[in-house]
C-alpha cells in the first residue's frame, strides 16, 4: 500500500511505501537547519567580541557559527581556546543568549519545520538533534520554538569527546534512536554525515553556500524544509556493505532535489 503525508500542501511518499524500505531515522543540526538563529547569533557574537576588545564584522561572526564555543571565540578573538578571554567570552555569550536569541521564540523556526517534523514522525521516522550547542542550550531553544516534543534525543557538544566535524555526535544520536547509521540521514554538516556513513542532506537556506555544500559528493541539496522532508521520506538506506565503502569513494555528484527527482 502506498502511503502519503502532507507537508503544507505537498504530498510525499512515506517511509514504508511499497517501493521499498526507506530511511528509518533523521538527525538534524539546529542552527541554520531547524532554527533561523544565524542573524541573532551573529549579532551576539559581534557584541561579546567587542566587550573583549575585538572588532568583529557580522561576516566574520557568521563563519564562527556552528563551531564549538571555544573554537568559535578562539577564532574571533585570535587567541588559544583555553585563553582566559576566550573563556570569559563564552560565559558572557551564554549569559546573554536567553535575552538576545531565545526571546524570539517560535519566530526563529524556518518555514515548514513544525509540519515537516510532525509528518516524518507520523510516518515512523525517528528524529534526533545533534548540535555544537551545549545540550542544555539546545533543549532550551527547541522548547521556546515549540518543537521539543517532536524530536527525541538531543546530543550537544558537551556529551561527546570530539566535536564537529568528527562524527561522534551524530553516531551517538543515531545510537540513542536504536537505528544504524547507514539507515539514517543527517541534515547539517556534510563532512559529519559522510564520515558517519549517513545519507548527507544539505539545506541551502542556512549558512552554507551552494558551492561549499556541493563539494561533498552524494549530498542531497534542499532549498526548503519541504524538500528536506521529501528527500528523507523517499531516500532508501544503502546496504551496510556498500555504506562501509562510502568514505573517500563516493561517485555521485551533489544534485539539487528537483534534478534528482527527474532522474528517477
Amino acid at each position: 500500500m502506498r502511503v502519503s503525508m502532507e507537508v503544507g500542501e505537498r504530498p510525499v511518499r512515506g517511509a514504508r511505501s511499497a517501493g521499498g524500505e526507506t530511511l528509518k531515522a533523521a538527525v538534524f543540526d539546529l542552527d541554520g537547519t531547524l532554527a533561523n538563529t544565524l542573524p541573532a547569533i551573529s549579532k551576539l557574537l559581534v557584541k561579546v567580541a567587542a566587550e573583549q576588545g575585538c572588532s568583529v564584522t557580522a561576516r566574520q561572526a557568521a563563519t564562527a557559527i556552528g563551531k564549538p564555543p571555544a573554537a568559535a571565540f578562539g577564532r574571533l578573538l585570535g587567541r588559544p581556546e583555553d585563553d582566559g578571554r576566550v573563556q570569559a567570552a563564552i560565559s558572557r555569550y551564554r549569559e546573554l543568549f536567553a535575552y538576545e536569541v531565545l526571546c524570539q521564540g517560535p519566530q526563529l523556526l524556518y518555514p515548514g519545520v513544525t509540519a515537516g517534523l510532525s509528518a516524518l514522525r507520523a510516518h515512523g521516522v525517528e528524529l534526533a538533534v545533534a548540535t555544537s550547542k551545549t545540550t542544555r542550550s539546545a533543549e532550551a531553544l527547541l522548547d521556546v520554538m515549540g518543537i521539543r516534543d517532536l524530536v527525541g534525543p538531543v546530543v550537544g557538544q558537551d556529551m561527546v569527546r570530539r566535536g564537529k566535524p568528527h562524527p561522534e555526535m551524530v553516531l551517538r544520536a543515531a545510537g540513542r534512536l536504536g537505528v544504524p547509521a547507514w539507515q539514517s540521514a543527517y541534515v547539517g554538516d556534510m563532512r559529519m554525515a559522510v564520515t558517519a556513513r549517513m545519507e548527507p542532506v544539505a539545506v541551502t537556506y542556512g549558512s552554507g553556500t551552494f558551492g561549499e555544500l556541493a563539494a561533498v559528493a552524494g549530498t542531497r541539496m534542499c532549498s526548503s524544509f519541504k524538500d528536506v522532508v521529501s528527500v528523507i521520506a523517499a531516500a532508501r538506506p544503502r546496504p551496510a556493505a556498500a555504506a562501509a565503502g562510502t568514505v573517500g569513494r563516493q561517485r555521485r555528484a551533489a544534485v539539487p532535489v528537483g534534478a534528482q527527482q527527474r532522474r528517477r
Side-chain angles (χ1 to χ4, degrees):
M1 179 178 69
R2 180 176 296 174
V3 184
S4 66
M5 58 183 172
E6 296 288 335
V7 182
E9 297 180 351
R10 178 190 300 180
V12 294
R13 293 181 183 180
R16 305 293 181 264
S17 65
E21 185 180 19
T22 54
L23 297 178
K24 294 182 177 180
V27 182
F28 294 88
D29 198 355
L30 188 48
D31 296 313
T33 300
L34 301 178
N36 185 17
T37 52
L38 303 183
I41 289 178
S42 178
K43 183 178 179 181
L44 180 54
L45 290 173
V46 170
K47 179 176 181 178
V48 172
E51 291 181 356
Q52 293 299 321
C54 258
S55 179
V56 172
T57 67
R59 185 172 183 176
Q60 290 172 321
T63 64
I65 295 175
K67 294 179 172 58
F73 279 109
R75 178 173 182 173
L76 292 176
L77 302 181
R79 292 177 173 272
E81 293 183 12
D82 59 355
D83 184 86
R85 290 176 64 180
V86 170
Q87 297 305 311
I90 294 172
S91 296
R92 179 62 170 160
Y93 174 87
R94 289 173 175 165
E95 177 187 346
L96 295 176
F97 188 79
Y99 304 101
E100 304 282 346
V101 181
L102 294 183
C103 64
Q104 299 184 40
Q107 297 177 29
L108 293 169
L109 281 171
Y110 281 111
V113 167
T114 301
L117 294 177
S118 297
L120 288 171
R121 276 175 54 92
H123 246 342
V125 178
E126 301 288 342
L127 307 178
V129 167
T131 172
S132 285
K133 285 185 170 350
T134 64
T135 304
R136 181 178 179 180
S137 177
E139 295 268 11
L141 178 56
L142 291 165
D143 188 53
V144 299
M145 292 192 300
I147 60 171
R148 179 62 190 93
D149 291 342
L150 295 179
V151 298
V154 176
V155 178
Q157 60 89 19
D158 55 310
M159 295 179 65
V160 296
R161 292 179 299 170
R162 291 160 292 188
K164 293 182 180 181
H166 193 278
E168 182 181 358
M169 189 180 297
V170 290
L171 290 174
R172 179 161 185 171
R176 291 184 63 186
L177 289 173
V179 178
W182 59 273
Q183 292 182 320
S184 308
Y186 179 62
V187 189
D189 188 304
M190 296 302 92
R191 295 169 298 172
M192 287 177 64
V194 171
T195 306
R197 299 169 186 170
M198 292 180 169
E199 187 72 18
V201 181
V203 296
T204 60
Y205 57 76
S207 59
T209 67
F210 188 94
E212 292 170 340
L213 298 170
V216 178
T219 298
R220 308 292 188 95
M221 306 290 285
C222 300
S223 60
S224 69
F225 201 77
K226 287 183 179 180
D227 287 342
V228 172
V229 176
S230 295
V231 163
I232 293 172
R236 299 183 183 184
R238 299 167 184 152
T246 296
V247 180
R249 298 193 293 109
Q250 293 212 11
R251 298 179 180 177
R252 293 180 297 158
V255 180
V257 170
Q260 288 198 359
Q261 290 173 338
R262 288 195 293 271
R263 287 183 180 181
R264 294 179 178 177

